[in-house]
Amino acid sequence: AMHIPFGAKAGFLVLLAMVACSYAAVTIETQKAGDGTSFPPVGSRVKVHYTGTLAETGRKFDSSRDRGHPFEFTLGTGEVIKCWDEGVKQMSKGQSATLSCTADYAYGSRGAGSIIPPNADLKFDVELIDFTPPKK
């Protein structure tokens, strides 16, 4: 039998888990290309339009478009669900994309009020309208 030192084996499992997570957590499907060069750095104030739906049923639960004004948040600071912090930073200015979020990168086992059930995978149609990079 081959003896793998415990450390190496554990390291491999961690790597496997990280790879699995990076694929599972957020997938980005571009609907309309952005400029391909302006990506918002962490700490940017970003302005997006979005529509959120339950992945399982397609039921819309929220939309900034319905309210008629974009939603703004600071990127990468935990103001929004992890799926957004991870997904939006990979989008370029002007891009529209569908972010598919696993529950652990959304509202997890708690869900959100009466709108989002526990352990729900979500889809968001997000348009990155603009961003202001953090002050140096």
Side-chain angles (χ1 to χ4, degrees):
M2 196 171 84
H3 289 288
I4 300 172
F6 179 71
K9 193 173 180 180
F12 177 72
L13 289 176
V14 168
L15 186 69
L16 208 62
M18 280 166 59
V19 168
C21 279
S22 66
Y23 284 115
V26 191
T27 48
I28 301 172
E29 195 185 325
T30 300
Q31 306 300 341
K32 187 181 114 236
D35 67 7
T37 55
S38 326
F39 295 89
V42 165
S44 297
R45 192 79 189 150
V46 298
K47 187 187 284 193
V48 299
H49 257 316
Y50 71 91
T51 301
T53 56
L54 300 176
E56 200 178 333
T57 61
R59 190 168 74 81
K60 178 167 74 172
F61 60 80
D62 190 17
S63 176
S64 63
R65 295 180 178 97
D66 293 350
R67 289 192 290 276
H69 54 90
F71 176 70
E72 293 189 29
F73 68 98
T74 303
L75 185 65
T77 58
E79 273 182 29
V80 292
I81 57 173
K82 211 183 217 176
C83 176
W84 277 35
D85 271 344
E86 292 296 316
V88 174
K89 72 180 181 196
Q90 299 175 55
M91 294 174 65
S92 64
K93 189 172 167 174
Q95 182 176 349
S96 291
T98 303
L99 302 184
S100 298
C101 313
T102 55
D104 57 327
Y105 268 56
Y107 296 95
S109 56
R110 291 188 316 277
S114 58
I115 312 166
I116 297 168
N119 304 313
D121 293 348
L122 306 178
K123 274 192 185 321
F124 290 94
D125 287 312
V126 178
E127 177 191 358
L128 179 55
I129 299 165
D130 202 3
F131 65 87
T132 310
K135 307 249 185 305
K136 289 277 182 282

